[in-house]
């Protein structure tokens, strides 16, 4: 048997969770199809196809439901591909995103049209004309009023009836179309043709409003694609430039970026210096200086000088494309609340239909209603039964929250992580590179008796050569500043969290923690022990340098706290969150940093110790771990939610559950505030969706409202919860 292949389609016309469920159930029934994933906000259908499975069958099944599936192109040979979220022509805020209820999925030709000219809107205008015409003719032919409204109702039901049948065949017999058509036909049977016509018209109007709201929600995500310029100035071999599409830049190309231009790629500066405004990508409002050899991010704005940048990533893999892809994937990740609501709604509709049947049968028998009244009120209950508003209440809020965060450099990989962040009561921070700037410098070198400072530094630099650890870079920088030639090393190795080892000029050299030095040094540390205590008391991190088992010196490092670290910890305290620093540094250094920032400190921790501390903290509730995404990977994974800090690095974007791209500690508090705002929006949406249905159910059974208000309990509630969720797109942190 051959392996399955993954295929993707862009599905036009989905605008509520019921659409997702319908497409999922229909495609899952096809032979050879597995692992069906439907992303509402990204309009993406992804399936695994067994050898011999029909691609055309998938597209035909989707088309039978009234949607249109367009296969997404695979990356070309050059490795480039369309930026996620930017596929297809430019759209208006709502054009091209209709619900497709009634078989009117958006035509690609309508993609650039305003919402009032789409097929969905045309259906509303036509139904409005039919109902309005029936009212006008009823004044001319009063005796034919019933028949006029009957004709309008039956004509209006044709598209919705077709869709109801298609959905029933695809495994969704309890769709809103089925319930609405049943209620409208039932109303016709009992002589309420006028109300039936109004119900159908209001249903279509509600669907149109959902179309507009869903289009606005998607526009929040698609706006991220607008960070990328459409063209770039690529330099030719002869030094001249040519204008090329930005998505056709290849790794190795040299690009000229003028003042005021957006950076069209991830790359490295080869010539020029400038200040770059990275706020569109990271949310950091202050422009940062960049020069030769430094990295630049796609989507940043060049504010000063001309830059020549070497492309390091293809368009499909640059920072903006990865952010969009992560946001789109995140909107498909269901939070626990979302899963609960989906399970609840699966029982809601059949239960409500049972209540409808009981109303029709028992109302006349127990409450003295006549049979026509029982049937009428039972039909109204049918219209209230659809859970569309309830099901869309959670994903709409989550999608808006995720999109709002992404525009501010706060990336979260799904609703589950976003929900867990807001519920956490403890946040654990790594020290180096997280609470501190991650750029330690060597402040003191103390040589043991019989050794020289230059010898200590040279041997340490040789042993640390090739390491990406911040302390290793500090040692290399100190050696370079003193003009010390670094001897070659061999047999390099490491003991995690304790020491690095290498053979240098025939001597076995180790650069380790104070604990390692005390345990490994032959004859102990001697006079160096007192010097080490003094250095640590001053807030320095100390490494012990050993050669052939003897301690030959100490290196003192100092890594200053980030300028906003104290403000970030204070903001978390204001939110009622406990902050703890977990560091492998010694207790004195940890206490010096923690005291300055105002947070609890757990020091002297090896990687395994950090895992145990995280486990202990989780015993009291959800824990968020914040680290640099490199050395803290185990702790990030062990926490309820791992948050990586880093300006667009691979690790920051992909190693944790969330990332703060602006590299500021206050960003963690902003992430917490965003999560809580999203969860509050979810609670509001659920309250509106359930509250309206319960209220209309009570008024319907009491005879205070009829069929057309009942339809508002569904479509009206769907519009309200979506519009409420859209408020999150304008979220700004208030810390």
């Amino acid at each position: 048997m051959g392996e399955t292949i993954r295929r993707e389609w862009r599905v036009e016309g989905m605008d509520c969770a019921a659409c997702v469920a319908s497409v999922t159930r229909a495609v899952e029934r096809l032979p050879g199809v597995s692992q069906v994933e439907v992303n509402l906000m990204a309009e993406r259908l992804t399936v695994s196809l067994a050898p011999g499975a029909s691609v055309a069958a998938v597209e035909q099944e989707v088309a039978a439901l009234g949607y249109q599936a367009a296969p997404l192109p695979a990356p070309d040979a050059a490795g480039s591909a369309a930026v996620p979220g930017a596929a297809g022509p430019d759209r208006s805020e709502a054009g091209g995103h209709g619900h497709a209820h009634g078989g009117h999925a958006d035509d690609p030709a309508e993609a650039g049209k305003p919402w009032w000219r789409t097929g969905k809107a045309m259906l509303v205008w036509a139904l409005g004309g039919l109902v309005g015409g029936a009212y006008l003719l009823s004044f001319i032919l009063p005796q034919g009023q019933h028949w006029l409204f009957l004709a309008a109702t039956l004509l209006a039901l044709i598209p919705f009836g077709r869709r109801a049948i298609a959905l029933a065949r695809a495994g969704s017999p309890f769709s809103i179309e089925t319930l609405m058509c049943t209620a409208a036909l039932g109303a016709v049977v009992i002589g309420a043709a006028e109300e039936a016509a109004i119900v159908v018209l209001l249903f279509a109007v509600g669907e149109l409003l959902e179309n507009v709201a869903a289009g606005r929600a998607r526009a929040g995500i698609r706006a991220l694609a607008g960070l990328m310029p459409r063209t770039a100035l690529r330099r030719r071999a002869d030094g001249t430039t040519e204008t090329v599409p930005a998505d056709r830049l290849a790794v190795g190309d040299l690009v000229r970026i003028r003042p005021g231009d957006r950076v069209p790629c991830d790359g490295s500066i080869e010539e020029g210096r400038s200040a770059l405004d990275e706020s569109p990508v990271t949310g950091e409002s202050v422009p940062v200086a960049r020069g030769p050899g430094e990295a630049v991010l796609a989507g940043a704005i060049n504010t000063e000088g001309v830059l020549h940048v070497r492309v390091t990533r293809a368009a499909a893999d640059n920072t903006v494309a990865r952010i969009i892809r992560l946001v789109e994937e995140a909107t498909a990740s269901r939070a626990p609340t979302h899963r609960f609501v989906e399970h609840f709604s699966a029982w809601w509709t059949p239960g409500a239909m049972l209540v409808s049947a009981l109303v029709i049968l028992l109302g006349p028998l127990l409450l003295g209603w006549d049979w026509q009244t029982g049937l009428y009120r039972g039909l109204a209950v049918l219209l209230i039964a659809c859970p569309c508003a309830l099901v869309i209440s959670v994903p709409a809020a989550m999608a808006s929250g995720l999109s709002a965060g992404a525009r501010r450099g706060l990336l979260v990989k799904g609703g589950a992580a976003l929900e867990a962040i807001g519920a956490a009561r403890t946040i654990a921070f790594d020290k180096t590179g997280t609470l501190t700037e991650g750029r330690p410098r060597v402040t003191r070198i103390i040589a043991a008796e019989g050794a020289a400072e230059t010898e200590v530094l040279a041997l340490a630099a040789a042993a640390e050569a090739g390491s990406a650890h911040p302390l290793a870079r500090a040692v290399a920088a100190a050696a370079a500043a003193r003009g010390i030639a670094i001897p070659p090393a061999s047999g390099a190795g490491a003991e995690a969290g304790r020491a690095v080892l290498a053979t240098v000029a025939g001597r076995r050299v180790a650069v380790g923690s104070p604990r390692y030095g005390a345990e490994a040094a032959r004859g102990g540390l001697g006079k160096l022990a007192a010097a080490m205590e003094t250095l640590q008391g001053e807030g320095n991190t100390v490494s012990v340098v050993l050669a052939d088992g003897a301690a030959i010196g100490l290196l003192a490092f100092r890594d200053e706290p980030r300028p906003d670290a104290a403000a970030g910890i204070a903001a978390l305290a204001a939110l009622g969150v406990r902050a703890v620093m977990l560091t492998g540094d010694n207790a004195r250094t940890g206490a010096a940093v923690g005291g300055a920032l105002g947070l609890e400190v757990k020091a002297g921790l090896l990687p395994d110790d950090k895992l145990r501390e995280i486990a202990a903290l989780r015993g009291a509730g959800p824990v968020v771990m914040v680290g640099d995404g490199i050395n803290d990977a185990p702790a990030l994974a062990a926490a309820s939610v791992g948050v990586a800090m880093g300006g667009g690095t691979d690790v920051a974007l992909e190693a944790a559950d969330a990332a703060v791209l602006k590299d500021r500690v206050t960003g963690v508090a902003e992430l917490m505030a965003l999560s809580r705002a999203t969860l509050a929006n979810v609670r509001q949406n659920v309250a509106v969706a359930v509250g309206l249905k319960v209220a209309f159910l009570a008024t319907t059974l009491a005879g205070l409202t009829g069929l057309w208000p009942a339809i508002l309990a569904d479509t009206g509630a769907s519009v309200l919860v979506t519009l409420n969720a859209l408020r999150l797109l304008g979220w700004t942190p208030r810390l």
Side-chain angles (χ1 to χ4, degrees):
M1 292 180 61
E3 294 184 357
T4 60
I5 58 171
R6 294 289 278 176
R7 293 292 302 269
E8 287 188 328
W9 290 264
R10 183 181 181 86
V11 180
E12 299 280 354
M14 299 186 297
D15 67 5
C16 80
C19 301
V20 172
S22 298
V23 173
T24 302
R25 279 194 290 265
V27 175
E28 281 178 339
R29 294 154 59 98
L30 297 174
V33 172
S34 61
Q35 295 180 322
V36 178
E37 297 173 7
V38 182
N39 188 324
L40 175 63
M41 289 301 159
E43 298 180 292
R44 191 76 49 84
L45 165 65
T46 307
V47 303
S48 291
L49 296 177
S54 173
V55 171
V58 174
E59 296 173 2
Q60 291 169 4
E61 190 71 16
V62 173
L65 299 178
Y67 309 110
Q68 185 171 0
L72 290 176
D76 60 24
S80 65
V83 175
D90 292 340
R91 291 176 170 82
S92 66
E93 63 186 11
H97 292 280
H99 193 305
H101 286 327
H104 285 266
D106 302 301
D107 190 288
E110 296 180 346
K113 292 182 180 179
W115 65 266
W116 60 85
R117 293 180 57 195
T118 61
K120 176 62 66 178
M122 293 299 104
L123 177 62
V124 170
W125 309 146
L127 295 181
L130 283 172
V131 175
Y135 267 111
L136 290 175
L137 289 174
S138 67
F139 290 107
I140 302 172
L141 299 171
Q143 66 278 13
Q145 180 177 359
H146 171 78
W147 299 106
L148 292 173
F149 282 111
L150 175 61
T153 301
L154 295 179
L155 286 173
L157 282 177
I158 290 175
F160 297 118
R162 286 177 177 170
R163 179 163 173 78
I165 293 171
L167 287 169
R169 288 176 174 173
S172 302
F174 299 129
S175 65
I176 180 60
E177 287 83 2
T178 300
L179 301 181
M180 189 273 298
C181 290
T182 302
L185 290 174
V188 168
V189 170
I190 63 174
E194 179 179 350
E195 284 197 72
I198 295 175
V199 163
V200 177
L201 175 60
L202 288 175
F203 179 77
V205 170
E207 297 298 284
L208 176 60
L209 293 176
E210 283 188 11
N211 164 40
V212 176
R216 287 182 180 272
R218 290 194 181 102
I221 296 177
R222 291 201 310 273
L224 296 172
L227 298 177
M228 286 298 298
R230 294 185 179 276
T231 60
L233 290 175
R234 183 169 61 190
R235 201 161 80 174
R236 299 188 182 98
D238 61 4
T240 61
T241 59
E242 59 179 339
T243 301
V244 298
D247 60 4
R248 294 300 173 190
L249 291 175
V251 175
D253 284 348
L254 193 61
V255 179
R256 185 170 186 259
I257 305 172
R258 301 164 298 188
D261 286 350
R262 281 191 183 271
V263 178
C265 59
D266 281 4
S268 177
I269 299 175
E270 296 237 335
E271 298 176 27
R273 291 185 177 275
S274 183
L276 292 173
D277 176 5
E278 297 179 346
S279 61
V281 182
T282 68
E284 178 57 70
S285 58
V286 180
V288 291
R290 293 282 188 266
E294 294 188 282
V296 297
L297 303 178
I301 301 171
N302 183 19
T303 63
E304 295 179 2
V306 175
L307 295 175
H308 289 89
V309 173
R310 185 74 64 182
V311 179
T312 57
R313 291 185 183 277
D317 198 34
N318 66 36
T319 299
V320 172
R322 286 182 292 153
I323 289 174
I324 295 171
R325 189 156 49 243
L326 284 171
V327 173
E328 288 183 342
E329 291 171 356
T331 59
S333 173
R334 295 177 296 175
T337 302
H338 185 185
R339 290 193 291 269
F340 170 77
V341 167
E342 284 190 335
H343 290 312
F344 175 77
S345 65
W347 291 93
W348 171 288
T349 303
M353 295 188 74
L354 177 60
V355 171
S356 175
L358 292 175
V359 168
I360 294 172
L361 296 174
L362 300 182
L365 296 176
L366 301 180
L367 301 176
W369 300 344
D370 57 62
W371 286 102
Q372 183 167 335
T373 298
L375 180 59
Y376 179 87
R377 294 180 183 178
L379 293 174
V381 171
L382 270 185
L383 295 177
I384 300 171
C386 185
C388 282
L390 181 62
V391 174
I392 195 64
S393 60
V394 180
M398 289 292 178
S400 293
L402 292 166
S403 179
R407 292 208 303 266
R408 289 164 179 79
L410 308 173
L411 294 185
V412 186
K413 293 184 177 180
L418 186 60
E419 185 172 319
I421 290 170
R425 290 295 175 267
T426 304
I427 294 188
F429 287 91
D430 173 52
K431 180 177 76 72
T432 304
T434 303
L435 290 173
T436 63
E437 293 181 334
R439 293 191 295 271
R441 58 186 180 85
V442 176
T443 56
R444 293 279 301 279
I445 303 173
I446 296 180
E449 189 175 344
E453 290 185 7
T454 54
E455 177 191 12
V456 172
L457 186 57
L459 292 176
E464 297 271 21
S467 172
H469 193 281
L471 295 184
R473 292 197 296 267
V475 172
R482 298 187 179 209
I484 296 175
I486 301 176
S490 61
E495 292 187 23
R498 289 171 55 82
V500 294
L501 304 97
T503 299
V504 182
R507 304 168 74 185
R508 192 58 177 168
V509 176
V511 182
S513 66
R515 181 190 299 180
Y516 175 86
E519 294 173 355
R522 186 176 62 249
L525 296 179
K527 295 180 180 180
L528 293 177
M532 184 170 63
E533 288 189 12
T534 300
L535 292 172
Q536 290 176 339
E538 296 171 351
N540 291 290
T541 298
V542 179
S543 291
V544 181
V545 182
L546 299 94
D548 292 331
I552 63 170
L554 305 175
L555 297 176
F557 305 85
R558 192 168 180 88
D559 186 12
E560 298 299 329
R562 293 182 184 274
D564 73 315
I569 299 302
L572 288 171
L575 292 172
V577 180
R578 172 193 178 199
V580 181
M581 182 174 77
L582 306 181
T583 177
D585 223 329
N586 66 85
R588 291 183 179 180
T589 302
V593 175
L597 299 181
L599 79 168
E600 189 178 336
V601 178
K602 305 278 188 180
L605 303 179
L606 298 175
D608 288 346
D609 297 325
K610 286 188 178 182
L611 291 180
R612 282 191 289 272
E613 289 292 340
I614 292 292
L617 292 172
R618 288 194 68 171
V623 176
V624 173
M625 174 68 193
V626 185
D628 61 11
I630 302 172
N631 302 317
D632 303 297
L636 290 172
S640 305
V641 179
V643 177
M645 291 184 64
T649 64
D650 286 340
V651 172
L653 287 176
E654 297 172 18
D657 302 300
V660 177
L661 298 188
K662 63 177 64 179
D663 238 353
R664 292 170 60 92
V665 179
T666 50
V668 179
E670 292 174 5
L671 194 59
M672 175 71 71
L674 171 65
S675 173
R676 293 186 178 181
T678 304
L679 293 178
N681 194 280
V682 166
R683 288 191 290 270
Q684 294 163 6
N685 282 352
V686 172
V688 168
V690 175
L692 277 178
K693 289 184 179 294
V694 171
F696 276 108
L697 181 62
T699 57
T700 296
L701 294 178
L704 300 177
T705 55
L707 291 177
W708 69 265
I711 196 68
L712 294 178
D714 178 67
T715 56
S718 295
V719 172
L720 285 177
V721 299
T722 305
L723 292 178
N724 185 49
L726 289 175
R727 293 190 305 109
L728 278 174
L729 292 175
W731 174 85
T732 54
R734 295 181 178 87
L735 301 177

